[in-house]
CSV table of all heavy atoms in Angstrom, one decimal:
chain,number,residue,atom,x,y,z
A,107,TYR,N,-37.5,5.5,32.9
A,107,TYR,CA,-36.1,5.9,32.7
A,107,TYR,C,-35.8,5.9,31.2
A,107,TYR,O,-35.8,4.9,30.6
A,107,TYR,CB,-35.3,4.8,33.4
A,107,TYR,CG,-33.8,4.9,33.3
A,107,TYR,CD1,-33.1,5.7,34.2
A,107,TYR,CD2,-33.1,4.3,32.2
A,107,TYR,CE1,-31.7,5.8,34.0
A,107,TYR,CE2,-31.8,4.4,32.1
A,107,TYR,CZ,-31.1,5.2,33.0
A,107,TYR,OH,-29.7,5.3,32.9
A,136,ARG,N,-16.4,-10.1,2.8
A,136,ARG,CA,-16.9,-10.9,1.7
A,136,ARG,C,-17.3,-10.0,0.5
A,136,ARG,O,-17.4,-10.4,-0.6
A,136,ARG,CB,-18.2,-11.6,2.2
A,136,ARG,CG,-17.9,-12.7,3.2
A,136,ARG,CD,-19.1,-13.5,3.5
A,136,ARG,NE,-18.8,-14.6,4.3
A,136,ARG,CZ,-18.7,-14.6,5.6
A,136,ARG,NH1,-18.9,-13.5,6.3
A,136,ARG,NH2,-18.3,-15.7,6.3
A,137,HIS,N,-17.5,-8.7,0.8
A,137,HIS,CA,-17.8,-7.8,-0.3
A,137,HIS,C,-16.7,-6.8,-0.4
A,137,HIS,O,-16.1,-6.4,0.6
A,137,HIS,CB,-19.1,-7.0,0.1
A,137,HIS,CG,-20.3,-7.9,0.3
A,137,HIS,ND1,-21.2,-8.2,-0.6
A,137,HIS,CD2,-20.7,-8.5,1.4
A,137,HIS,CE1,-22.2,-8.9,-0.1
A,137,HIS,NE2,-21.9,-9.2,1.1
A,153,TYR,N,-38.1,6.5,17.7
A,153,TYR,CA,-37.4,6.7,19.0
A,153,TYR,C,-38.0,7.8,19.8
A,153,TYR,O,-37.3,8.5,20.6
A,153,TYR,CB,-35.9,7.0,18.7
A,153,TYR,CG,-35.1,5.9,18.2
A,153,TYR,CD1,-35.5,5.0,17.2
A,153,TYR,CD2,-33.9,5.6,18.8
A,153,TYR,CE1,-34.8,3.9,16.8
A,153,TYR,CE2,-33.1,4.6,18.4
A,153,TYR,CZ,-33.5,3.7,17.4
A,153,TYR,OH,-32.8,2.7,17.0
A,157,GLU,N,-45.0,5.8,24.6
A,157,GLU,CA,-45.7,4.6,24.6
A,157,GLU,C,-46.7,4.6,25.7
A,157,GLU,O,-46.5,5.3,26.7
A,157,GLU,CB,-44.7,3.4,24.9
A,157,GLU,CG,-43.6,3.3,24.0
A,157,GLU,CD,-42.7,2.1,24.4
A,157,GLU,OE1,-42.0,2.2,25.4
A,157,GLU,OE2,-42.8,1.1,23.7
A,161,VAL,N,-55.2,-0.1,27.6
A,161,VAL,CA,-55.9,-1.4,28.0
A,161,VAL,C,-54.8,-2.3,28.5
A,161,VAL,O,-53.8,-2.5,27.8
A,161,VAL,CB,-56.6,-1.9,26.8
A,161,VAL,CG1,-57.3,-3.3,27.2
A,161,VAL,CG2,-57.7,-0.9,26.3
A,163,GLY,N,-52.4,-5.2,28.6
A,163,GLY,CA,-52.1,-6.2,27.6
A,163,GLY,C,-52.0,-5.6,26.2
A,163,GLY,O,-51.7,-6.4,25.3
A,165,VAL,N,-50.2,-2.6,24.1
A,165,VAL,CA,-49.3,-1.4,24.2
A,165,VAL,C,-49.3,-0.7,22.9
A,165,VAL,O,-49.3,-1.3,21.8
A,165,VAL,CB,-47.9,-1.9,24.5
A,165,VAL,CG1,-46.9,-0.7,24.5
A,165,VAL,CG2,-47.8,-2.5,25.9
A,166,GLU,N,-49.4,0.6,22.9
A,166,GLU,CA,-49.3,1.4,21.7
A,166,GLU,C,-48.0,2.2,21.7
A,166,GLU,O,-47.8,3.0,22.6
A,166,GLU,CB,-50.5,2.4,21.6
A,166,GLU,CG,-51.8,1.7,21.3
A,166,GLU,CD,-53.0,2.7,21.2
A,166,GLU,OE1,-52.8,3.9,21.5
A,166,GLU,OE2,-54.1,2.3,20.8
A,167,CYS,N,-47.2,2.0,20.7
A,167,CYS,CA,-46.0,2.8,20.5
A,167,CYS,C,-46.2,3.8,19.4
A,167,CYS,O,-46.7,3.4,18.3
A,167,CYS,CB,-44.8,1.9,20.2
A,167,CYS,SG,-44.5,0.6,21.3
A,168,LEU,N,-45.9,5.0,19.7
A,168,LEU,CA,-46.1,6.1,18.6
A,168,LEU,C,-44.9,6.3,17.9
A,168,LEU,O,-43.8,6.5,18.4
A,168,LEU,CB,-46.6,7.4,19.3
A,168,LEU,CG,-48.0,7.3,19.9
A,168,LEU,CD1,-48.1,8.5,20.9
A,168,LEU,CD2,-49.0,7.5,18.8
A,169,LYS,N,-45.0,6.3,16.6
A,169,LYS,CA,-43.9,6.7,15.7
A,169,LYS,C,-44.3,8.0,15.1
A,169,LYS,O,-45.3,8.1,14.4
A,169,LYS,CB,-43.7,5.6,14.6
A,169,LYS,CG,-42.9,6.0,13.4
A,169,LYS,CD,-42.8,5.0,12.4
A,169,LYS,CE,-42.3,5.5,11.0
A,169,LYS,NZ,-41.8,4.5,10.1
A,170,ILE,N,-43.5,9.0,15.3
A,170,ILE,CA,-43.8,10.4,14.9
A,170,ILE,C,-43.0,10.7,13.7
A,170,ILE,O,-41.7,10.6,13.7
A,170,ILE,CB,-43.5,11.4,16.0
A,170,ILE,CG1,-44.0,10.9,17.3
A,170,ILE,CG2,-44.1,12.7,15.6
A,170,ILE,CD1,-45.4,11.1,17.6
A,171,ILE,N,-43.6,11.2,12.6
A,171,ILE,CA,-42.9,11.7,11.5
A,171,ILE,C,-43.4,13.1,11.2
A,171,ILE,O,-44.6,13.3,11.1
A,171,ILE,CB,-43.1,10.8,10.2
A,171,ILE,CG1,-42.7,9.4,10.4
A,171,ILE,CG2,-42.3,11.4,9.0
A,171,ILE,CD1,-41.3,9.1,10.1
A,172,THR,N,-42.6,14.1,11.2
A,172,THR,CA,-43.0,15.5,10.9
A,172,THR,C,-42.5,16.0,9.6
A,172,THR,O,-41.4,15.6,9.2
A,172,THR,CB,-42.6,16.4,12.0
A,172,THR,OG1,-41.2,16.3,12.2
A,172,THR,CG2,-43.3,16.1,13.3
A,173,LYS,N,-43.2,16.9,9.0
A,173,LYS,CA,-42.8,17.5,7.8
A,173,LYS,C,-41.5,18.3,7.9
A,173,LYS,O,-40.6,18.1,7.1
A,173,LYS,CB,-43.9,18.4,7.2
A,173,LYS,CG,-43.8,18.7,5.8
A,173,LYS,CD,-45.1,19.4,5.3
A,173,LYS,CE,-44.9,20.1,4.0
A,173,LYS,NZ,-44.9,19.3,2.8
A,199,HIS,N,-37.6,3.5,2.9
A,199,HIS,CA,-38.9,3.7,3.6
A,199,HIS,C,-39.8,2.5,3.6
A,199,HIS,O,-39.4,1.4,3.1
A,199,HIS,CB,-39.7,4.8,2.8
A,199,HIS,CG,-40.0,4.3,1.4
A,199,HIS,ND1,-41.2,3.8,1.1
A,199,HIS,CD2,-39.3,4.2,0.3
A,199,HIS,CE1,-41.3,3.4,-0.2
A,199,HIS,NE2,-40.1,3.7,-0.7
A,200,LYS,N,-41.0,2.5,4.2
A,200,LYS,CA,-41.9,1.4,4.1
A,200,LYS,C,-43.3,2.1,3.9
A,200,LYS,O,-44.2,1.9,4.6
A,200,LYS,CB,-41.9,0.7,5.4
A,200,LYS,CG,-42.7,-0.6,5.4
A,200,LYS,CD,-41.8,-1.8,5.0
A,200,LYS,CE,-42.7,-3.1,4.9
A,200,LYS,NZ,-42.4,-3.9,3.8
A,204,MET,N,-46.8,1.9,5.9
A,204,MET,CA,-47.1,3.1,6.7
A,204,MET,C,-47.2,4.3,5.7
A,204,MET,O,-46.4,5.1,5.5
A,204,MET,CB,-45.9,3.3,7.6
A,204,MET,CG,-46.0,2.3,8.8
A,204,MET,SD,-44.7,2.4,9.9
A,204,MET,CE,-43.7,1.0,9.4
A,205,LYS,N,-48.4,4.3,5.1
A,205,LYS,CA,-48.7,5.3,4.0
A,205,LYS,C,-48.5,6.7,4.4
A,205,LYS,O,-48.0,7.5,3.7
A,205,LYS,CB,-50.1,5.0,3.4
A,205,LYS,CG,-50.2,3.7,2.8
A,205,LYS,CD,-51.7,3.4,2.5
A,205,LYS,CE,-51.9,2.1,1.9
A,205,LYS,NZ,-51.4,1.9,0.6
A,206,LEU,N,-49.1,7.1,5.6
A,206,LEU,CA,-49.1,8.5,6.0
A,206,LEU,C,-47.7,8.9,6.5
A,206,LEU,O,-47.1,9.9,6.1
A,206,LEU,CB,-50.1,8.8,7.1
A,206,LEU,CG,-51.6,8.9,6.7
A,206,LEU,CD1,-52.4,9.3,7.9
A,206,LEU,CD2,-51.7,9.9,5.5
A,207,GLY,N,-47.2,8.0,7.4
A,207,GLY,CA,-45.9,8.4,8.0
A,207,GLY,C,-44.7,8.4,7.0
A,207,GLY,O,-44.1,9.4,6.7
A,233,ASP,N,-37.3,-3.5,3.2
A,233,ASP,CA,-36.9,-4.9,3.1
A,233,ASP,C,-36.1,-5.3,1.9
A,233,ASP,O,-35.1,-6.0,1.9
A,233,ASP,CB,-38.2,-5.8,3.3
A,233,ASP,CG,-39.3,-5.5,2.3
A,233,ASP,OD1,-39.0,-4.7,1.3
A,233,ASP,OD2,-40.4,-6.0,2.5
A,240,VAL,N,-27.2,-7.1,1.2
A,240,VAL,CA,-26.5,-8.3,1.4
A,240,VAL,C,-26.0,-9.0,0.2
A,240,VAL,O,-25.0,-9.7,0.2
A,240,VAL,CB,-27.5,-9.3,2.2
A,240,VAL,CG1,-26.9,-10.6,2.3
A,240,VAL,CG2,-27.7,-8.7,3.6
A,241,SER,N,-26.7,-8.7,-1.0
A,241,SER,CA,-26.2,-9.4,-2.2
A,241,SER,C,-25.3,-8.4,-3.0
A,241,SER,O,-24.3,-8.8,-3.5
A,241,SER,CB,-27.4,-9.9,-3.0
A,241,SER,OG,-28.5,-9.1,-2.8
A,257,ASN,N,-31.0,2.8,11.9
A,257,ASN,CA,-30.3,2.0,12.9
A,257,ASN,C,-30.0,0.6,12.3
A,257,ASN,O,-28.8,0.1,12.3
A,257,ASN,CB,-31.3,1.8,14.1
A,257,ASN,CG,-30.6,1.0,15.2
A,257,ASN,OD1,-29.4,0.8,15.2
A,257,ASN,ND2,-31.4,0.7,16.2
A,261,ASN,N,-26.3,-0.8,10.8
A,261,ASN,CA,-25.6,-2.0,11.4
A,261,ASN,C,-25.3,-3.0,10.3
A,261,ASN,O,-24.3,-3.7,10.4
A,261,ASN,CB,-26.5,-2.6,12.5
A,261,ASN,CG,-26.2,-1.9,13.8
A,261,ASN,OD1,-25.4,-2.4,14.6
A,261,ASN,ND2,-26.9,-0.8,14.1
A,266,LEU,N,-21.0,-5.4,7.0
A,266,LEU,CA,-20.5,-5.7,5.6
A,266,LEU,C,-19.0,-5.2,5.5
A,266,LEU,O,-18.2,-5.8,4.8
A,266,LEU,CB,-21.3,-5.0,4.6
A,266,LEU,CG,-22.7,-5.5,4.4
A,266,LEU,CD1,-23.4,-4.7,3.3
A,266,LEU,CD2,-22.7,-7.0,3.9
B,20,GLY,N,-59.3,-6.6,26.4
B,20,GLY,CA,-58.5,-6.2,27.6
B,20,GLY,C,-59.2,-6.8,28.8
B,20,GLY,O,-58.5,-7.3,29.7
B,123,THR,N,-49.2,-3.0,-4.0
B,123,THR,CA,-49.8,-1.9,-3.3
B,123,THR,C,-49.3,-0.6,-3.9
B,123,THR,O,-48.1,-0.3,-3.7
B,123,THR,CB,-49.4,-1.9,-1.8
B,123,THR,OG1,-49.7,-3.2,-1.3
B,123,THR,CG2,-50.2,-0.9,-1.0
B,129,PRO,N,-54.4,7.0,0.9
B,129,PRO,CA,-54.0,6.2,2.1
B,129,PRO,C,-55.1,5.4,2.6
B,129,PRO,O,-54.8,4.4,3.4
B,129,PRO,CB,-53.5,7.3,3.1
B,129,PRO,CG,-53.3,8.5,2.3
B,129,PRO,CD,-54.2,8.5,1.1
B,131,VAL,N,-56.8,3.3,1.0
B,131,VAL,CA,-56.7,2.0,0.3
B,131,VAL,C,-55.7,1.2,1.0
B,131,VAL,O,-54.5,1.4,0.9
B,131,VAL,CB,-56.4,2.2,-1.2
B,131,VAL,CG1,-56.3,0.8,-1.9
B,131,VAL,CG2,-57.4,3.1,-1.9
B,160,ARG,N,-22.0,-16.3,-0.4
B,160,ARG,CA,-20.9,-15.9,0.4
B,160,ARG,C,-20.8,-16.6,1.7
B,160,ARG,O,-19.8,-16.8,2.3
B,160,ARG,CB,-20.9,-14.4,0.6
B,160,ARG,CG,-20.6,-13.6,-0.6
B,160,ARG,CD,-20.4,-12.2,-0.4
B,160,ARG,NE,-20.1,-11.5,-1.6
B,160,ARG,CZ,-20.9,-11.0,-2.5
B,160,ARG,NH1,-22.2,-11.1,-2.3
B,160,ARG,NH2,-20.5,-10.4,-3.6
B,161,HIS,N,-22.0,-17.0,2.2
B,161,HIS,CA,-22.0,-17.7,3.5
B,161,HIS,C,-22.5,-19.1,3.3
B,161,HIS,O,-23.3,-19.4,2.4
B,161,HIS,CB,-23.0,-17.0,4.5
B,161,HIS,CG,-22.7,-15.6,4.7
B,161,HIS,ND1,-22.0,-15.2,5.8
B,161,HIS,CD2,-23.0,-14.5,4.0
B,161,HIS,CE1,-21.9,-13.9,5.8
B,161,HIS,NE2,-22.5,-13.4,4.7
B,177,TYR,N,-47.6,-3.0,11.4
B,177,TYR,CA,-48.5,-3.1,10.3
B,177,TYR,C,-50.0,-3.0,10.6
B,177,TYR,O,-50.8,-3.5,9.9
B,177,TYR,CB,-48.3,-4.5,9.6
B,177,TYR,CG,-47.0,-4.7,8.9
B,177,TYR,CD1,-45.8,-4.2,9.4
B,177,TYR,CD2,-47.0,-5.2,7.6
B,177,TYR,CE1,-44.6,-4.4,8.8
B,177,TYR,CE2,-45.8,-5.4,7.0
B,177,TYR,CZ,-44.6,-5.0,7.5
B,177,TYR,OH,-43.4,-5.1,6.8
B,181,GLU,N,-52.8,5.2,11.3
B,181,GLU,CA,-52.0,6.4,11.3
B,181,GLU,C,-53.0,7.6,11.3
B,181,GLU,O,-54.1,7.5,10.8
B,181,GLU,CB,-51.2,6.5,10.0
B,181,GLU,CG,-50.3,5.3,9.8
B,181,GLU,CD,-49.5,5.5,8.5
B,181,GLU,OE1,-50.1,5.3,7.4
B,181,GLU,OE2,-48.3,5.8,8.5
B,187,GLY,N,-48.7,18.3,9.2
B,187,GLY,CA,-47.3,18.2,9.1
B,187,GLY,C,-46.7,17.2,10.2
B,187,GLY,O,-45.5,17.0,10.2
B,189,VAL,N,-47.2,13.4,11.6
B,189,VAL,CA,-48.0,12.1,11.4
B,189,VAL,C,-47.6,11.2,12.6
B,189,VAL,O,-46.5,11.0,12.9
B,189,VAL,CB,-47.6,11.5,10.1
B,189,VAL,CG1,-48.3,10.1,10.0
B,189,VAL,CG2,-48.1,12.3,8.9
B,191,SER,N,-47.8,7.3,13.7
B,191,SER,CA,-48.1,5.9,13.3
B,191,SER,C,-48.1,5.1,14.5
B,191,SER,O,-47.2,5.2,15.3
B,191,SER,CB,-47.1,5.4,12.3
B,191,SER,OG,-46.9,6.2,11.2
B,192,LEU,N,-49.2,4.3,14.7
B,192,LEU,CA,-49.3,3.5,15.9
B,192,LEU,C,-48.7,2.1,15.7
B,192,LEU,O,-49.1,1.4,14.7
B,192,LEU,CB,-50.7,3.4,16.3
B,192,LEU,CG,-51.3,4.7,16.9
B,192,LEU,CD1,-52.8,4.6,16.8
B,192,LEU,CD2,-50.8,4.9,18.3
B,193,LYS,N,-47.9,1.7,16.6
B,193,LYS,CA,-47.4,0.3,16.6
B,193,LYS,C,-48.0,-0.4,17.8
B,193,LYS,O,-47.8,0.0,18.9
B,193,LYS,CB,-45.9,0.3,16.7
B,193,LYS,CG,-45.3,-1.0,17.1
B,193,LYS,CD,-43.8,-1.0,17.3
B,193,LYS,CE,-43.2,-2.2,18.0
B,193,LYS,NZ,-41.8,-2.3,17.8
B,194,ILE,N,-48.8,-1.4,17.5
B,194,ILE,CA,-49.6,-2.1,18.6
B,194,ILE,C,-48.9,-3.4,18.9
B,194,ILE,O,-48.6,-4.2,18.0
B,194,ILE,CB,-51.0,-2.4,18.1
B,194,ILE,CG1,-51.6,-1.2,17.4
B,194,ILE,CG2,-51.8,-2.9,19.3
B,194,ILE,CD1,-52.1,-0.1,18.2
B,195,ILE,N,-48.7,-3.6,20.2
B,195,ILE,CA,-48.2,-4.9,20.6
B,195,ILE,C,-49.1,-5.4,21.7
B,195,ILE,O,-49.4,-4.6,22.7
B,195,ILE,CB,-46.7,-4.8,21.3
B,195,ILE,CG1,-45.8,-4.2,20.3
B,195,ILE,CG2,-46.3,-6.1,21.8
B,195,ILE,CD1,-45.1,-5.2,19.4
B,196,THR,N,-49.7,-6.5,21.6
B,196,THR,CA,-50.6,-7.0,22.6
B,196,THR,C,-50.0,-8.3,23.3
B,196,THR,O,-49.3,-9.0,22.6
B,196,THR,CB,-52.0,-7.4,22.0
B,196,THR,OG1,-51.8,-8.3,21.0
B,196,THR,CG2,-52.7,-6.2,21.5
B,197,ARG,N,-50.5,-8.5,24.5
B,197,ARG,CA,-50.0,-9.6,25.2
B,197,ARG,C,-50.5,-10.9,24.6
B,197,ARG,O,-49.7,-11.9,24.5
B,197,ARG,CB,-50.5,-9.5,26.7
B,197,ARG,CG,-49.9,-10.4,27.6
B,197,ARG,CD,-50.4,-10.1,29.0
B,197,ARG,NE,-50.1,-11.3,29.8
B,197,ARG,CZ,-48.9,-11.6,30.3
B,197,ARG,NH1,-47.9,-10.8,30.1
B,197,ARG,NH2,-48.8,-12.7,31.0
B,224,LYS,N,-36.3,-4.5,20.2
B,224,LYS,CA,-35.6,-3.2,20.4
B,224,LYS,C,-36.1,-2.6,21.7
B,224,LYS,O,-36.7,-1.5,21.8
B,224,LYS,CB,-35.9,-2.2,19.2
B,224,LYS,CG,-35.1,-1.0,19.3
B,224,LYS,CD,-33.8,-1.1,18.4
B,224,LYS,CE,-33.0,0.2,18.6
B,224,LYS,NZ,-31.6,-0.1,18.7
B,228,MET,N,-38.0,0.9,22.8
B,228,MET,CA,-39.4,0.8,22.9
B,228,MET,C,-39.7,-0.1,24.1
B,228,MET,O,-40.0,-1.3,24.0
B,228,MET,CB,-40.0,0.2,21.6
B,228,MET,CG,-40.0,1.3,20.6
B,228,MET,SD,-40.6,0.8,19.0
B,228,MET,CE,-39.0,0.6,18.1
B,229,LYS,N,-39.5,0.5,25.3
B,229,LYS,CA,-39.5,-0.3,26.5
B,229,LYS,C,-40.9,-1.0,26.8
B,229,LYS,O,-40.9,-2.2,27.2
B,229,LYS,CB,-39.2,0.6,27.7
B,229,LYS,CG,-37.8,1.1,27.7
B,229,LYS,CD,-37.7,2.2,28.7
B,229,LYS,CE,-36.3,2.9,28.6
B,229,LYS,NZ,-35.2,2.1,29.1
B,230,LEU,N,-42.0,-0.3,26.6
B,230,LEU,CA,-43.3,-1.0,26.9
B,230,LEU,C,-43.6,-2.0,25.8
B,230,LEU,O,-44.0,-3.1,26.1
B,230,LEU,CB,-44.4,0.1,27.0
B,230,LEU,CG,-44.4,1.0,28.2
B,230,LEU,CD1,-45.6,1.8,28.2
B,230,LEU,CD2,-44.4,0.1,29.5
B,231,GLY,N,-43.5,-1.5,24.6
B,231,GLY,CA,-43.9,-2.4,23.4
B,231,GLY,C,-43.1,-3.6,23.3
B,231,GLY,O,-43.6,-4.7,23.6
B,257,ASP,N,-30.6,-4.3,15.9
B,257,ASP,CA,-29.4,-3.8,15.1
B,257,ASP,C,-28.2,-4.8,15.3
B,257,ASP,O,-27.6,-5.0,14.3
B,257,ASP,CB,-29.1,-2.4,15.5
B,257,ASP,CG,-28.9,-2.2,17.0
B,257,ASP,OD1,-28.8,-3.1,17.7
B,257,ASP,OD2,-28.9,-1.0,17.4
B,264,VAL,N,-25.0,-10.6,9.1
B,264,VAL,CA,-24.1,-10.4,8.0
B,264,VAL,C,-22.7,-10.9,8.2
B,264,VAL,O,-22.0,-11.3,7.2
B,264,VAL,CB,-24.1,-8.8,7.7
B,264,VAL,CG1,-23.1,-8.5,6.7
B,264,VAL,CG2,-25.4,-8.4,7.2
B,265,SER,N,-22.3,-11.0,9.4
B,265,SER,CA,-20.9,-11.6,9.6
B,265,SER,C,-20.9,-13.1,10.0
B,265,SER,O,-20.1,-13.8,9.4
B,265,SER,CB,-20.2,-10.8,10.7
B,265,SER,OG,-21.1,-10.3,11.7
B,281,ASN,N,-39.9,-8.7,8.9
B,281,ASN,CA,-39.8,-8.3,7.5
B,281,ASN,C,-38.3,-8.1,7.1
B,281,ASN,O,-37.8,-8.7,6.1
B,281,ASN,CB,-40.6,-7.0,7.3
B,281,ASN,CG,-40.7,-6.6,5.8
B,281,ASN,OD1,-40.3,-7.4,5.0
B,281,ASN,ND2,-41.2,-5.5,5.6
B,285,ASN,N,-35.8,-10.7,5.0
B,285,ASN,CA,-35.2,-10.3,3.7
B,285,ASN,C,-33.7,-10.4,3.7
B,285,ASN,O,-33.1,-10.8,2.7
B,285,ASN,CB,-35.6,-8.9,3.4
B,285,ASN,CG,-36.9,-8.8,2.6
B,285,ASN,OD1,-37.0,-8.9,1.4
B,285,ASN,ND2,-38.0,-8.9,3.4
B,290,LEU,N,-29.0,-13.7,2.1
B,290,LEU,CA,-27.8,-14.5,2.4
B,290,LEU,C,-27.8,-15.8,1.7
B,290,LEU,O,-26.8,-16.4,1.4
B,290,LEU,CB,-27.7,-14.7,3.9
B,290,LEU,CG,-27.4,-13.4,4.8
B,290,LEU,CD1,-27.6,-13.8,6.2
B,290,LEU,CD2,-26.1,-12.9,4.5
Side-chain angles (χ1 to χ4, degrees):
Chain A
Y107 175 90
R136 292 186 173 87
H137 302 264
Y153 286 48
E157 303 180 287
V161 176
V165 175
E166 289 180 351
C167 303
L168 289 161
K169 161 180 165 162
I170 316 280
I171 303 271
T172 54
K173 196 169 161 80
H199 65 95
K200 189 93 187 141
M204 285 176 261
K205 294 167 185 288
L206 285 186
D233 52 14
V240 169
S241 30
N257 186 9
N261 273 267
L266 292 174
Chain B
T123 310
V131 179
R160 292 187 174 88
H161 302 264
Y177 286 48
E181 301 179 288
V189 174
S191 304
L192 289 161
K193 162 182 165 161
I194 316 281
I195 302 270
T196 56
R197 195 177 158 75
K224 188 96 185 139
M228 286 176 258
K229 294 167 186 288
L230 285 186
D257 52 13
V264 169
S265 29
N281 186 9
N285 273 267
L290 292 174

